[in-house]
Amino acid sequence: MPKANPRHPGFPIPGGPELRARGWRQEALLRLLENVLSVGEDPDNLVVYAALGKAARNWPAHRAIVKTLIEMDEDQTLLIQSGKPVGLLKTHAKAPLVIMANCNIVGQWAKAEVFYELQRKGLICWGGLTAGAWQYIGSQGVIQGTYEIFMRIAERRFGGDLSGRFVLTAGLGGMGGAQPLAGRMAGAAILCVDIDAERAKKRREIGYLQEIAPDLDAALAMIDAAVKEKRALSVGLVGNAAEIYPEIARRGIVPHVVTDQTSAHDLVYGYVPKGMSLDQVKSLRDDGQGQLMAASRASIVEHVKAMLDFQAKGAEVFDNGNLIRTQAREGGVTNAFDIPIFTEAYLRPLFARAIGPFRWMALSGEESDIARIDDLLLDIFPHNRIVTNWIRLARQHIPLEGLPARIAWLGHGERTALARRVNELVATGELKGPVAFSRDHLDAGAMAHPNIMTERMKDGSDAIADWPLLDAMLLCSSMADLVVVHSGGGGYAGYMTSCGVTVVADGTVEADERLDHALTNDTSLGVIRYADAGYEDSFEEIAAKGIGHVKV
Ligand code: NAD
């Protein structure tokens, strides 16, 4: 039975043993589509997160996808082009059920303005990373990544944790909403600025944010007290980051860590310029795009200058993957890239071994299935410090949203081992239903994103998009259930290409084969991509795990 969804009553949370589709594979993908809307930011408009990241092109397209998933057979493949189903073709039972190409625009045309025009004509939509691929699991999706970044900073600069440290950030949206909880888990006193009071309230309601301060003075007093007492605390503040960051700097206060996760990548549908209300911004989105883009960029310039100011005074400042430095540089801040990107600064050694955000969703809708898989992880990987620490923290702190799900950073071999064991537990009935596995597009072999994932690769191969394309073809050959190629839309147009994958553990022998091939080959390609760029860790991984790398 689906469960009621108090936040979005029209979008119940799927679950239960009854199938509407002709098999669990089809049913699983249908539930994942329902799930991204049930936990999404604005499901009435099909928007899941990141301002414009949509689950389907429009409501007729959505209805046609649902109908097709219910009626299709296992030996057919559904083709989706930018959120619209365009074909249902006979393939074979080992082929993917769904393949998608979302928002891929030819190079010279891949610009925000062209995207907005194509979107206005109803010809395209942006799938974000996990929205269009039906893989979003709520704010939990990025939380371990954010936590691991904070912990790397803590280890390098602050003796191991962030207690007694002030973290300043902004953005409490679909992904940024993970920041207050990740900061608190790392021990910090974290202040999160958001222009939209509703977003702050939502994060407090679902347990990601503790307090909302009435004004900046009160917020800083709360943070100051927590820092002095070395008490972990998350505080939200409703305001514009382009005003609040410079004001904090003007007062001579220097946070220990500064970042930002507003939707700075999109100057029309994401970032809110200072001095404008949300209603004013909305009214300009159709007819005043040029004015809005100029105003957003001018505000981002001030926002980033304040971040650079904090950096010059000793704060650890980083770009958290929202293109804010790129926007500022376009606005004339020539040294915006003095701020490092989180991937290169903190996580690259993990990516070089294809360790990255891997996630699973309990299609039964039962939280006990996730708890059982947590136990399994601790059993299988007792010596993996990142995993054991994470599962202990996640169990204690992370509220589940929508279909019960978990994310953990796992690498080559680990993902496959976990998924195949889970498939056995589904087969023996120890779990209440099948489990879907996917991973973030921000993964070793899966993404070319030269200002985020692949910035400053050792060999300069930052902008080469062959890797995610190879990954998608490899995953189709490896029997994955859903395979997708995404490129950037809105402000990300022209900035990235990525590949996503989902494989369903339904307890069958065929699922075991799919999980084994798809997950093993996906991370193999990740390690090979970094080896090709010259990372030593990748060569070690290839030798230790016998990955089929061809040396030239
Ligand atoms: P979202 O659109 O759901 O939320 C953005 C939030 O920023 C909103 O709550 C909005 O009110 C707020 N905001 C906009 N302008 C503001 C301003 N001037 N001052 C204060 N608040 C402002 O987006 P999201 O899903 O949370 O993603 C945020 C950004 O992070 C996007 O650019 C996204 O692409 C990026 N992202 C990065 C990673 C990563 O791996 N690090 C992962 C996911 C998303």
Side-chain angles (χ1 to χ4, degrees):
M1 279 281 290
K3 284 191 195 128
N5 183 357
R7 262 184 42 222
H8 300 300
F11 298 88
I13 301 158
E18 299 83 20
L19 297 188
R20 294 153 296 174
R22 293 188 184 167
W24 258 115
R25 293 172 66 212
Q26 300 92 313
E27 177 73 24
L29 298 182
L30 175 59
R31 290 187 187 197
L32 296 179
L33 167 60
E34 290 167 334
N35 189 51
V36 295
L37 291 173
S38 79
V39 295
E41 292 297 293
D42 179 12
D44 292 323
N45 290 307
L46 291 161
V47 169
V48 178
Y49 77 101
L52 268 188
K54 291 176 82 173
R57 180 101 57 96
N58 48 37
W59 282 109
H62 176 273
R63 281 190 288 276
I65 293 170
V66 170
K67 185 170 182 292
T68 311
L69 286 173
I70 289 173
E71 292 174 356
M72 70 189 286
D73 285 314
E74 241 201 322
D75 59 358
Q76 293 179 302
T77 297
L78 169 62
L79 279 61
I80 295 191
Q81 179 259 324
S82 288
K84 187 177 91 170
V86 293
L88 178 66
L89 303 180
K90 171 99 173 67
T91 48
H92 54 89
K94 288 189 173 181
L97 278 178
V98 175
I99 55 174
M100 305 177 166
N102 289 335
C103 209
N104 301 286
I105 305 176
V106 169
Q108 294 290 333
W109 282 260
K111 310 238 178 325
E113 292 82 348
V114 177
F115 167 82
Y116 295 135
E117 182 57 15
L118 293 171
Q119 182 183 244
R120 200 185 57 72
K121 289 181 178 160
L123 295 174
I124 205 164
C125 76
W126 180 49
L129 303 180
T130 52
W134 315 335
Q135 295 161 339
Y136 181 73
I137 56 169
S139 295
Q140 187 185 164
V142 285
I143 196 167
Q144 195 191 354
T146 312
Y147 168 79
E148 297 297 342
I149 293 169
F150 287 152
M151 292 311 288
R152 292 297 91 76
I153 293 173
E155 283 157 13
R156 282 186 205 171
R157 291 197 51 179
F158 302 114
D161 73 22
L162 290 181
S163 61
R165 309 294 168 182
F166 171 17
V167 176
L168 172 65
T169 188
L172 287 169
M175 291 296 190
Q179 298 180 103
L181 184 50
R184 192 153 63 86
M185 288 164 90
I190 179 166
L191 175 60
C192 308
V193 183
D194 199 295
I195 190 66
D196 185 346
E198 290 308 312
R199 304 289 191 119
K201 275 193 221 148
K202 176 173 165 182
R203 299 305 155 208
R204 192 175 53 183
E205 268 164 31
I206 60 173
Y208 274 70
L209 175 70
Q210 288 172 293
E211 310 274 354
I212 298 179
D215 55 40
L216 179 59
D217 290 340
L220 290 174
M222 288 157 88
I223 293 290
D224 193 45
V227 165
K228 287 195 176 117
E229 294 162 24
K230 296 193 173 232
R231 176 166 46 86
L233 176 71
S234 58
V235 179
L237 174 66
V238 178
N240 197 306
E243 286 168 338
I244 302 286
Y245 280 40
E247 175 58 21
I248 293 175
R250 198 191 60 75
R251 293 184 187 195
I253 299 169
V254 182
H256 297 94
V257 180
V258 180
T259 188
D260 172 72
Q261 217 167 10
T262 57
S263 274
H265 70 273
D266 196 304
L267 302 176
V268 176
Y269 291 87
Y271 196 83
V272 176
K274 73 176 198 183
M276 280 195 199
S277 69
L278 288 171
D279 285 340
Q280 280 173 306
V281 169
K282 281 180 194 152
S283 70
L284 284 171
R285 279 180 180 155
D286 280 339
D287 297 327
Q289 282 183 2
Q291 182 190 344
L292 207 45
M293 287 176 94
S296 290
R297 201 184 299 285
S299 288
I300 288 175
V301 162
E302 292 181 50
H303 189 157
V304 170
K305 279 185 175 165
M307 292 172 78
L308 286 161
D309 191 14
F310 289 131
Q311 187 185 43
K313 292 183 177 134
E316 179 82 12
V317 181
F318 65 94
D319 178 319
N320 204 0
N322 62 352
L323 230 54
I324 196 164
R325 298 166 308 161
T326 316
Q327 305 285 20
R329 189 174 57 188
E330 300 271 311
V333 184
T334 49
N335 61 338
F337 276 68
D338 286 356
I339 298 171
I341 184 72
F342 73 101
T343 42
E344 198 218 354
Y346 313 114
L347 302 178
R348 193 146 289 164
L350 296 179
F351 290 131
R353 293 183 187 271
I355 297 170
F358 185 57
R359 60 168 82 90
W360 49 96
M361 288 70 82
L363 299 165
S364 62
E366 299 291 338
E367 293 190 9
S368 60
D369 282 356
I370 293 301
R372 177 67 189 88
I373 301 173
D374 283 346
D375 289 339
L376 179 65
L377 261 173
L378 298 175
D379 272 0
I380 310 182
F381 306 116
H383 305 301
N384 183 329
R385 203 183 55 79
I386 292 183
V387 170
T388 52
N389 176 50
W390 174 249
I391 294 299
R392 189 178 51 78
L393 280 168
R395 285 188 135 163
Q396 197 185 337
H397 292 284
I398 295 184
L400 297 176
E401 303 170 68
L403 274 180
R406 183 68 84 219
I407 191 153
W409 281 51
L410 294 174
H412 181 74
E414 296 171 334
R415 298 180 186 189
T416 314
L418 176 72
R420 294 183 72 190
R421 279 289 291 129
V422 166
N423 196 48
E424 284 170 20
L425 297 185
V426 176
T428 57
E430 227 187 290
L431 293 176
K432 300 217 168 63
V435 174
F437 288 90
S438 78
R439 49 125 178 97
D440 204 63
H441 292 214
L442 188 118
D443 205 42
M447 179 182 274
H449 204 330
N451 278 177
I452 296 186
M453 180 63 172
T454 47
E455 181 165 319
R456 285 159 41 105
M457 290 293 286
K458 225 173 171 176
D459 63 345
S461 59
D462 308 16
I464 294 176
D466 293 342
W467 298 101
L469 298 178
L470 273 179
D471 199 16
M473 292 186 277
L474 177 65
L475 287 163
C476 288
S477 326
S478 304
M479 299 174 274
D481 287 301
L482 176 145
V483 181
V484 54
V485 178
H486 279 192
S487 290
Y492 280 130
Y495 280 96
M496 51 98 31
T497 294
S498 66
C499 160
V501 59
T502 300
V503 195
V504 181
D506 62 6
T508 58
V509 176
E510 292 78 9
D512 181 65
E513 193 184 10
R514 289 174 199 288
L515 292 162
D516 189 10
H517 282 75
L519 300 178
T520 305
N521 289 341
D522 188 41
T523 45
S524 296
L525 183 80
V527 177
I528 289 170
R529 191 265 176 273
Y530 278 79
D532 196 70
Y535 289 85
E536 280 307 317
D537 289 346
S538 313
F539 290 109
E540 278 178 28
E541 196 72 1
I542 283 168
K545 297 188 175 167
I547 294 171
H549 179 224
V550 178
K551 266 195 177 162
V552 179

